[in-house]
Each structure stands twice: as C-alpha cells, then as structure tokens.
Amino acid sequence: MIKKSLLFTLSLILFLTTLMGQNQKLPFSFTEFQQWAKQINLPGYSLLECENEDNICYVANLISASQTLLQVRIENSSRFRTSTSGMQGAVKYIWKGYETVYSANNYNTVFIFNVPDNKIAVLVGVPNKVDKIKMEDFASKIKFQNLKPGGAGESEVA
C-alpha cells in the first residue's frame, strides 16, 4: 500500500510540475489554507498533513483507516488550463457551474475544477481508480467555497 501511495504522489507531482509553467501564487496564506484544511470532513478520512509548495500550490493529504491517501491540491485558477491540457483520456465537463476535468486509470484518479471567483483551481486525487460520481462527492464535501481571498478557513457552510 505504501508503494502504491508513493507512486501516486510521485506521479501527481511529476504531472503537475511538468505542466505548470506559470508561477502564480495563491490569493491567501498557507496558514489560512491549513485552517481551511482542518475543517475538511470526509467520512472515513482524517487530515494527515499539509504542504506548501513555494506558495504556488498548497496540499492537504488525508488518509483513511485503510491507509488510502486522498490529496487535495489548491493552485491559482490561472493555472487550470495548463494543468489539465496534457491529461490523456480526460473527460471535460461542467460540474456545479465549474469547468471540470476528470481522469482515471488503474493507478490513480484526478478530479480538477476551476473556481475563478475564488481565484483557485482545486485538484482531488486518489491512488486508485474511482468513478466520477465518487470524485464529485469528495469535491462537494471539502467546502472549497470557503477558500477565497481574505476568507480561507472561515466557517461558512458550503
């Protein structure tokens, strides 16, 4: 399981660092992101750690009781198109009014959506194949609407 999670993490990092050429910082601090990440309430998952990738990408790693990793990555919304342009077999569609890309294979599943009003793009990833409906459910429950300039971590209901 650790090898599978490590492979997932490395593939996500490689994918994101390769595709993201712009150096756009996020519109809120890492401390605000950490406060927001603490309010994520996904049944069966708990917050493992948060990471700051040079104020360009913030990451919340969650883990389930069965040791399955779920990753929530936040980046500047200006990077959405670049981040999703090279995804093979990706399905592009509108989810809850947001431009969205879903991609799954036997090794990982990635669900990315753009929230331009909050100036963020949100990536939810897991190290196995998960259907689109389940990924949409994960995304709905993370209260991403609370991540906005000057308002990250507030207790507003999503």
Side-chain angles (χ1 to χ4, degrees), residues 8 15 84 86-93 100-112 124-126 128-132 135:
F8 166 70
F15 168 74
T84 59
M87 296 175 71
Q88 295 182 348
V91 176
K92 297 178 182 184
Y93 64 105
T100 303
V101 175
Y102 165 82
S103 177
N105 60 46
N106 290 333
Y107 303 105
N108 60 52
T109 303
V110 178
F111 183 81
I112 307 173
V124 178
V126 294
N128 48 24
K129 192 171 189 173
V130 175
D131 67 48
K132 186 170 68 166
M135 294 303 287

Side-chain angles (χ1 to χ4, degrees), residues 27-97:
F28 43 82
S29 71
F30 183 61
T31 300
E32 290 173 307
F33 172 79
Q34 289 175 303
Q35 291 171 349
W36 169 81
K38 289 177 185 173
Q39 62 81 51
I40 296 174
N41 186 13
L42 286 174
Y45 286 87
S46 59
L47 182 63
L48 180 64
E49 65 181 350
C50 291
E51 300 172 25
N52 179 351
E53 297 179 359
D54 297 322
N55 296 318
I56 295 168
C57 182
Y58 298 151
V59 181
N61 291 305
L62 295 98
I63 194 157
S64 72
S66 64
Q67 302 296 301
T68 300
L69 183 69
L70 183 141
Q71 196 170 77
V72 178
R73 301 175 69 87
I74 307 295
E75 62 187 39
N76 188 292
S77 64
S78 66
R79 298 164 66 140
F80 177 78
R81 281 193 175 53
T82 303
S83 298
T84 59
S85 65
M87 296 175 71
Q88 295 182 348
V91 176
K92 297 178 182 184
Y93 64 105
I94 301 298
W95 171 73
K96 294 190 175 196

